[in-house]
Amino acid sequence: MTYARIIGTGGYLPENIMTNSDLEKIVDTTDQWIQERTGIEQRHIAVEGQTTVDLAEAASRLAIESAGISAQDIDLIIIATSTPDKIFPSSACILQARLDIHGCPAFDIQAVCTGFIYGLAIAEKFIKTGSSKNALVVGAEIFSKILNWEDRATCVLFGDGAGAVVLAASEETGILSTHIHADGKYENLLRVPYGIADGYDQVKAGKAFVEMKGNEVFKMAVNTLGRIVDETLAANNMMKSDIDWLVPHQANIRIITATAKKLKMSMDQVVVTVHKHGNTSAASIPLALDVAVRDGRIKENELLLFEAFGGGFTWGSVLARF
Ligand code: ACO
């Protein structure tokens, strides 16, 4: 049986760091409020001119290098992003050209914070059906460009970054199952309310920013992530205690802690980067994975649970042996 196995990881964060004290100078907030409600201490923010594909390229080169293959071996490129460089070509096509890869399929997917999980789920199908042997799956975002920097309820939460993995066809166990879902009826709780349908004027007038009813999103996220954990374990006939590492989407430390509690997992088995990265949307899971692989916490053959919830609403999980 052919599995899709993660053989390389990479991550990139812009050098520019914005601390909570920096934010205190911009909006009516405090370091204490941000840390208590979210766990976030700082986030990385792209400098003028730095784009989503710039971050994606840096993360991808590291992932390809750590996989021990050449860029020419990649035969599928997927970027999960809600902040593409352009309307078209897709960020994946721009990345493909930068990596000097020609001919393989390359496309973006948009599932906001669940985007990387969607990307893994799609790439796994390509690999299992024999359509791809080495897939590059990237989560990359510059959320700082779609934030209203006068809205303290949202601008303190997000950061910029990119994470990438190389998934390879393997006879060794890799991804065991993927679970992706969506329900579009909650648009009013989390969205960027303007886009192409409204014309560029609205976008230019500074209306195309993230809007969120944080409290309601929070409750939905905790309940939904609890259910996806049950769904994933049941599909694999596994117990909570089988999981070695939880690598969750990094939106809020309180959401992460609630999921760990549901799994009866010690926080020592949870990869947490939200304090340093903020919420980097589709980039948060591959960034967290890369951190824990490179610092030696996650080791070969361990069982990893990835899970995410985000705008759409979308949510999902992936269970994988590393
Ligand atoms: N600084 C100080 N006070 C603030 C700030 C701030 N930055 N932001 C809001 N407040 C105030 C509010 O105005 C409110 O004041 P009031 O009581 O006088 O009205 C008070 O703090 C409490 O506000 P809540 O929104 O109820 O605070 P809550 O405890 O829910 O925390 C938060 C807010 C952090 C946004 C939380 O709800 C959350 O994390 N939600 C989920 C976010 C998430 O998971 N998003 C999904 C993925 S994102 C994506 O897909 C793009």
Side-chain angles (χ1 to χ4, degrees):
M1 180 159 157
T2 303
Y3 289 95
R5 188 174 171 81
I6 298 171
I7 60 160
T9 67
Y12 181 77
L13 293 153
E15 280 173 24
N16 176 37
I17 290 174
M18 185 183 273
T19 63
N20 292 347
S21 327
D22 294 331
L23 278 162
E24 284 175 356
K25 294 174 199 129
I26 302 174
V27 284
D28 180 16
T29 192
T30 61
D31 174 45
Q32 191 187 353
W33 189 96
I34 301 171
Q35 288 212 41
E36 280 178 9
R37 299 290 177 121
T38 71
I40 300 169
E41 297 163 16
Q42 61 166 59
R43 70 289 291 141
H44 293 247
I45 301 290
V47 293
E48 203 48 47
Q50 206 169 21
T51 74
T52 292
V53 177
D54 293 338
L55 312 189
E57 182 185 350
S60 299
R61 289 191 186 280
L62 289 167
I64 292 167
E65 184 187 295
S66 83
I69 60 169
S70 111
Q72 303 313 314
D73 297 322
I74 298 292
D75 56 13
L76 170 67
I77 300 173
I78 300 176
I79 297 192
T81 186
S82 301
T83 49
D85 284 15
K86 296 181 165 65
I87 293 168
F88 69 81
S90 69
S91 297
C93 284
I94 301 172
L95 175 66
Q96 187 190 37
R98 296 234 196 132
L99 295 175
D100 199 21
I101 302 171
H102 306 275
C104 77
F107 54 89
D108 291 2
I109 51 160
Q110 215 271 42
V112 200
C113 299
T114 318
F116 182 72
I117 298 284
Y118 269 61
L120 284 183
I122 296 165
E124 189 230 17
K125 306 294 177 284
F126 272 76
I127 287 176
K128 283 203 137 174
T129 54
S131 304
S132 165
K133 292 221 172 327
N134 290 301
L136 177 65
V137 184
V138 188
E141 301 277 18
I142 296 206
F143 252 59
S144 60
K145 295 252 194 246
I146 55 163
L147 294 175
N148 175 356
W149 287 97
E150 291 175 4
D151 176 16
R152 66 177 183 174
T154 51
C155 75
V156 303
L157 303 175
F158 295 93
D160 301 333
V165 301
V166 175
L167 275 186
S170 169
E171 296 312 308
E172 283 175 67
T173 328
I175 290 179
L176 296 171
S177 71
T178 67
H179 308 262
I180 52 175
H181 299 278
D183 191 340
K185 79 175 178 197
Y186 298 101
E187 187 200 330
N188 65 326
L189 297 184
L190 177 56
R191 63 181 176 173
V192 173
Y194 294 97
I196 303 304
D198 309 286
Y200 282 113
D201 293 353
Q202 301 292 331
V203 177
K204 281 194 187 144
K207 291 183 174 176
F209 294 134
V210 174
E211 255 180 28
M212 175 163 70
K213 297 201 172 90
N215 212 307
E216 288 167 67
V217 175
F218 184 92
K219 283 181 228 152
M220 286 283 299
V222 170
N223 291 333
T224 310
L225 290 171
R227 284 203 307 276
I228 199 86
V229 164
D230 290 337
E231 180 185 324
T232 313
L233 290 171
N236 291 281
N237 252 328
M238 284 192 183
M239 294 186 301
K240 294 169 180 165
S241 56
D242 291 324
I243 297 168
D244 294 305
W245 290 99
L246 175 64
V247 188
H249 169 50
Q250 312 279 324
N252 185 315
I253 191 65
R254 293 185 291 144
I255 298 176
I256 295 173
T257 310
T259 311
K261 203 168 157 196
K262 159 103 193 159
L263 280 163
K264 296 194 165 53
M265 282 177 102
S266 140
M267 285 305 283
D268 293 342
Q269 291 171 273
V270 182
V271 182
V272 177
T273 52
V274 68
H275 56 307
K276 297 293 178 206
H277 300 178
N279 179 349
T280 57
S281 188
S284 92
I285 291 176
L287 269 169
L289 173 68
D290 184 58
V291 166
V293 168
R294 284 178 192 265
D295 70 20
R297 271 180 289 170
I298 293 181
K299 297 183 185 66
E300 216 173 302
N301 226 25
E302 288 185 321
L303 192 64
L304 317 183
L305 176 62
F306 306 106
E307 46 83 346
F309 180 88
F313 284 150
T314 54
W315 63 99
S317 64
V318 171
L319 189 72
R321 202 157 285 286
F322 187 69

